[in-house]
């Protein structure tokens, strides 16, 4: 595990070489002590003479799965990316794609989820599906293409165990810390880029879905902040393939020793990628999704020895294993969700990576 890249509006971070890996947890809930283990790894690096160490990598969706975090041997920081011209087509074969579950099965899962939601079992659940496409090319041009399509988003590539790579272009910042300043930017409520985005602002379904996420993020941050600003109304933000309802939440830490990973662990997973209540949503996801999410809907980011850092939600992403790319896309399901519309939303989200591959679907 020795490669990491994250480009955000804050700047770019490129790192390589594994100087010291964050050790695995002895707890069943590996997320609970992850901030302490990461801080410990940074302390070891400082004691050994490493100058300005950072922890980088990816955190999985499941709390009992170990993160892929490490202190790299070298780190380079750069300015934010600029928009560039699209590159040439990449060697992907659209004829060999496999969808899990197939679209009709996914739509039926949404119908089953809606029944549970209307019965009052939970308020929201996020259901995902995957698409695997043969791909044996160099990943660097694909990451560049993702960045060129959404230069103001969060483009990332993080090495995973087993020689795999998690890469994508997420629109969503989970949380960042710079000194005592905390920023979170939850997104929920989406529409394909070609559609009129105005209906998102008036859609009761999308506004409810968004409010559930904003309320949860604000509630999780309040115990850590002396002040917290939560706008009353969301705004619209575009990506290359989607429109999203967005709310930028900003606060000031009550205790300056609180690290960015502590905040990330308190927030993860938000209702934007799991649902609410969290435990009920996780259970329904396990029942209805026929695959292990792994690092999809987890986190990608970094933290330095002062506690500053930036953690992005791992969506609009894919996992490369040397022979194929497995893409993931999900939709937030609430009681008045329409299965066909949710299926169409996931198809539109696949286009983030498919568009970078110049594959139409």
């Amino acid at each position: 595990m020795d490669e990491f890249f994250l480009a955000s509006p804050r700047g770019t971070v490129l790192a390589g070489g594994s100087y010291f890996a964050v050790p695995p947890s002895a707890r069943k809930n590996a997320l609970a002590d992850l901030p302490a283990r990461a801080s410990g790894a940074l302390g070891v690096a400082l004691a050994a003479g490493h100058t300005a160490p950072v922890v980088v990598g990816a955190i999985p969706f499941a709390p009992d799965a170990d993160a892929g975090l490490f202190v790299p041997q070298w780190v380079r920081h750069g300015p934010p990316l600029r928009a560039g011209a699209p590159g040439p087509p990449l060697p992907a074969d659209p004829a060999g794609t496999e969808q899990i579950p197939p679209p009709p099965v996914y739509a039926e899962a949404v119908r089953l989820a809606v029944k549970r939601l209307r019965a009052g079992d939970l308020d929201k659940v996020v259901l995902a599906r995957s698409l695997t496409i043969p791909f044996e090319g160099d990943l660097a041009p694909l990451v560049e293409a993702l960045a060129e399509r959404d230069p103001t988003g969060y483009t990332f590539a993080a090495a995973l165990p087993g020689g795999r790579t998690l890469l994508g272009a997420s629109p969503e910042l989970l949380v960042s810390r710079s000194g005592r300043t905390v920023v979170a930017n939850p997104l929920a409520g989406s529409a394909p880029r070609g559609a009129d985005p105005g209906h998102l602002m008036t859609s009761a379904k999308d506004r409810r879905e968004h409010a559930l996420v904003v309320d949860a993020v604000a509630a999780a941050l309040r115990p850590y902040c002396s002040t917290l600003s939560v706008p009353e109304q969301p705004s619209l933000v575009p990506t290359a393939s989607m429109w999203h309802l967005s709310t930028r939440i900003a606060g000031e830490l009550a205790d300056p020793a609180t690290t960015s990973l502590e905040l990330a662990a308190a927030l993860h997973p938000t209702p934007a990628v799991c649902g609410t209540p969290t435990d009920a949503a996780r259970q329904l996801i396990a029942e209805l999704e026929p695959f292990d999410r792994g690092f999809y809907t987890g986190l990608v980011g970094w933290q330095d020895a002062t506690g500053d850092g930036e953690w992005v939600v791992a969506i609009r992403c894919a996992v490369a294993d040397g022979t194929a790319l497995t893409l993931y896309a999900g939709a937030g399901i609430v009681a008045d969700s329409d299965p066909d519309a949710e299926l169409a939303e996931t198809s539109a989200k696949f286009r983030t990576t498919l568009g970078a591959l110049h594959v139409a679907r």
Side-chain angles (χ1 to χ4, degrees), residues 205-281:
K205 178 263 181 186
D206 290 291
R207 290 294 293 266
R208 170 171 168 72
E209 181 185 343
H210 187 77
L212 287 169
V213 179
V214 172
D215 291 347
V217 170
L221 288 178
R222 280 195 181 96
Y224 297 94
C225 294
S226 57
T227 62
L228 193 70
S229 173
V230 184
E232 293 184 2
Q233 299 292 330
S235 60
L236 283 167
V237 296
T239 68
S241 59
M242 301 293 297
W243 285 98
H244 298 283
L245 291 178
S246 165
T247 295
R248 187 179 186 275
I249 299 172
E252 183 174 348
L253 287 176
D255 181 357
T258 302
T259 68
S260 64
L261 252 178
E262 287 181 77
L263 298 170
L267 288 166
H268 179 58
T270 73
V273 297
C274 181
T276 185
T278 302
D279 289 344

Side-chain angles (χ1 to χ4, degrees), residues 86-250:
L90 299 171
D93 179 10
T97 58
E98 178 186 12
Q99 300 184 60
I100 300 177
V105 178
Y106 179 81
E108 179 59 25
V110 174
R111 292 186 187 94
L112 292 172
V114 167
K115 289 181 180 179
R116 297 279 288 273
L117 289 156
R118 290 177 178 173
D121 293 353
L122 66 170
D123 296 316
K124 175 185 175 179
V125 66
V126 177
L127 293 181
R129 62 192 186 104
S130 70
L131 186 155
T132 299
I133 181 168
F135 183 86
E136 298 181 0
D138 182 8
L139 294 178
L142 176 54
V143 176
E144 291 173 5
L146 289 167
E148 287 162 355
R149 284 172 59 84
D150 286 306
T152 61
Y154 301 87
T155 304
F156 57 86
L160 300 178
R164 299 170 299 149
T165 301
L166 175 71
L167 67 155
S170 174
E172 185 166 2
L173 171 70
L174 179 72
V175 68
S176 69
R177 197 206 90 160
S178 180
R180 298 183 70 157
T181 300
V182 175
V183 175
N185 192 185
L187 306 181
S190 306
R193 185 63 186 269
D196 176 9
H199 87 276
L200 284 175
M201 297 295 290
T202 58
S203 165
K205 178 263 181 186
D206 290 291
R207 290 294 293 266
R208 170 171 168 72
E209 181 185 343
H210 187 77
L212 287 169
V213 179
V214 172
D215 291 347
V217 170
L221 288 178
R222 280 195 181 96
Y224 297 94
C225 294
S226 57
T227 62
L228 193 70
S229 173
V230 184
E232 293 184 2
Q233 299 292 330
S235 60
L236 283 167
V237 296
T239 68
S241 59
M242 301 293 297
W243 285 98
H244 298 283
L245 291 178
S246 165
T247 295
R248 187 179 186 275
I249 299 172

Side-chain angles (χ1 to χ4, degrees), residues 73-97:
Q73 293 177 347
W74 56 267
V75 180
R76 297 172 188 154
H77 297 273
L81 298 178
R82 296 181 178 179
L90 299 171
D93 179 10
T97 58

